[in-house]
Amino acid sequence: AQKIRRDLLRLIIYKPKKEAEIKILKKQIEDLTSKKFNNISELILFDFQNNFINYLNKQNKPKKFKLNPTSKALELIDLFEKINNPFLSIYIHGSHADGYTTNFSDLDVSIFISNQRSTFDFEKIKNDILILNNCVKKFDLESHHSIFLNLTNDLNCYPESIMPLDVLGQSLISKNQKTISAQTRFSVDIAIDTFLRIYSSINKISPESNNNNFYNIKFIISSYFMLIILKYEILNMKFLDKKTIFSEILYQANSNNFLHIFNLCSEIREKWPEQTKTIDFCISNYLIKKIQDHSRSMLNEIDKSFSLKKTINTIMIN
């Protein structure tokens, strides 16, 4: 229900005309929480903390790192500060925060909406987020995701599988913001759900389809990398930044039969062409098939894992 509310929030802000889908998600949340919400605003204000009271981890603060933000990240922060909306907090994380970018790098941005007060102007919040999102799209034409949207009272029972706390801790933020802190919860449930959704998308890709354009190729490789990260999180029940997870994979190279595919996709990422250049670019059907093979192998590992059993037992107890 907590994850579905984030999906609902994304629909309300980015695709408000999909009223039927919004109603479906609202009904799903009501069924899962056994609670009737009179309207969307009441649902947005709902606090999930009591639902996870027995599954909260020790409270911690993310580590601090020295940042080297790109000019694009700084420009977005400048726009955010000019908007000056007290109900929004911004976190620019990933390559554009630490400065280690390639042409493949997305501009990864998370916005937290303060939903601990009922007086907020949701229409202004929506418009301000759309302004920021348009700025991100201007910088990142091939991105497969919009700004990630979160609600501040979810920090009381924060699922790190959505975004690890250490990743948010390495973010570029507005000078008017405090460093983020959160009470995290057991959240392998959301990691498994996300893995299955992405796995389904990759598995539907047909080698006979037209996958040879920038947007589709980036989607395939980004999704594949995300499955690797999620598998690590699920099996180890801990949530780390992407660079750390990938370093561990390379360290355990001898035990990974698919390392050559991972390395090949990493090389494509490193040599990704600039968006402004006209260039022929394609990947082979062989590579798509090998990515699908590795995805199935990862799914089998999860299926046999202790963490899956623990998650299922936790859900059945509740």
Side-chain angles (χ1 to χ4, degrees):
Q2 189 181 28
K3 180 181 185 298
I4 292 170
R5 183 169 70 168
R6 289 181 76 249
D7 296 338
L8 175 68
L9 185 65
R10 188 167 61 246
L11 269 184
I12 292 169
I13 290 180
Y14 294 135
K15 299 178 180 179
K17 292 183 179 179
K18 293 197 172 186
E19 295 179 4
E21 291 184 33
I22 289 171
K23 287 180 180 178
I24 289 171
L25 293 185
K26 179 176 179 289
K27 179 67 165 56
Q28 288 177 353
I29 295 169
E30 290 176 334
D31 290 344
L32 287 165
T33 58
S34 301
K35 182 176 176 61
K36 181 72 176 176
F37 297 100
N38 295 318
N39 50 56
I40 294 295
S41 293
E42 188 177 309
L43 193 158
I44 294 296
L45 289 167
F46 181 69
D47 193 338
F48 278 97
Q49 185 176 27
N50 289 336
N51 298 81
F52 297 106
I53 201 72
N54 297 320
Y55 302 96
L56 297 177
N57 302 319
K58 182 181 177 182
Q59 192 162 11
N60 59 67
K61 290 187 176 182
K63 303 170 188 174
K64 291 184 178 180
F65 294 84
K66 186 175 181 180
L67 301 177
N68 183 31
T70 63
S71 59
K72 293 176 181 177
L74 293 171
E75 187 174 333
L76 186 62
I77 288 290
D78 182 59
L79 175 61
F80 177 82
E81 290 176 347
K82 286 176 180 174
I83 288 173
N84 191 29
N85 189 325
F87 289 93
L88 302 180
S89 300
I90 189 169
Y91 298 84
I92 302 176
H93 40 87
S95 301
H96 280 275
D98 61 29
Y100 294 102
T101 58
T102 68
N103 292 327
F104 191 92
S105 299
D106 289 333
L107 181 53
D108 294 323
V109 184
S110 290
I111 291 284
F112 278 82
I113 304 169
S114 177
N115 63 330
Q116 294 164 315
R117 296 172 285 176
S118 58
T119 55
F120 61 78
D121 183 345
F122 197 74
E123 197 60 32
K124 176 171 171 48
I125 287 172
K126 173 184 168 182
N127 290 337
D128 288 345
I129 290 173
L130 291 176
I131 290 170
L132 294 166
N133 197 59
N134 287 339
C135 182
V136 171
K137 292 293 184 183
K138 179 185 74 171
F139 292 140
D140 194 1
L141 300 175
E142 298 159 4
S143 177
H144 289 88
H145 59 78
S146 302
I147 289 175
F148 301 112
L149 302 178
N150 306 272
L151 296 165
T152 53
N153 71 9
D154 279 336
L155 290 171
N156 298 324
C157 48
Y158 182 67
E160 283 197 278
S161 53
I162 289 173
M163 185 70 64
L165 203 57
D166 276 347
V167 173
L168 287 176
Q170 299 175 44
S171 298
L172 178 68
I173 63 176
S174 169
K175 60 180 178 292
N176 302 318
Q177 287 175 213
K178 295 180 180 178
T179 305
I180 198 167
S181 62
Q183 181 86 48
T184 61
R185 72 161 175 92
F186 177 82
S187 62
V188 177
D189 56 320
I190 289 182
I192 292 171
D193 178 76
T194 306
F195 184 98
L196 292 173
R197 288 170 186 256
I198 297 174
Y199 172 82
S200 177
S201 297
I202 281 186
N203 217 36
K204 288 177 182 175
I205 296 169
S206 168
E208 287 75 36
S209 302
N210 178 23
N211 299 306
N212 296 328
N213 63 64
F214 280 129
Y215 186 84
N216 288 351
I217 295 169
K218 190 172 184 180
F219 168 76
I220 293 167
I221 293 175
S222 297
S223 298
Y224 172 57
F225 283 156
M226 196 66 224
L227 287 183
I228 293 171
I229 292 167
L230 288 163
K231 187 208 80 167
Y232 177 93
E233 292 177 344
I234 293 165
L235 296 187
N236 295 282
M237 290 190 283
K238 62 180 181 179
F239 304 94
L240 305 173
D241 63 276
K242 179 171 64 179
K243 290 185 178 69
T244 301
I245 292 173
F246 286 174
S247 295
E248 288 199 23
I249 290 170
L250 293 172
Y251 180 74
Q252 301 167 352
N254 293 334
S255 62
N256 189 344
N257 295 327
F258 294 94
L259 187 66
H260 63 296
I261 299 301
F262 172 78
N263 284 335
L264 183 55
C265 289
S266 297
E267 185 178 353
I268 292 171
R269 183 188 186 280
E270 290 298 320
K271 295 181 179 179
W272 195 258
E274 291 182 25
Q275 293 178 358
T276 53
K277 290 184 178 179
T278 303
I279 188 170
D280 290 330
F281 192 72
C282 64
I283 58 175
S284 67
N285 292 338
Y286 168 83
L287 180 59
I288 294 173
K289 182 181 181 302
K290 287 299 179 182
I291 287 173
Q292 291 174 329
D293 289 345
H294 190 193
S295 301
R296 280 189 288 273
S297 174
M298 289 189 283
L299 181 64
N300 288 334
E301 286 186 72
I302 292 169
D303 192 44
K304 299 172 184 175
S305 68
F306 166 77
S307 53
L308 176 61
K309 293 176 183 176
K310 179 177 179 180
T311 303
I312 291 172
N313 288 337
T314 301
I315 293 169
M316 292 180 71
I317 288 170
N318 283 280

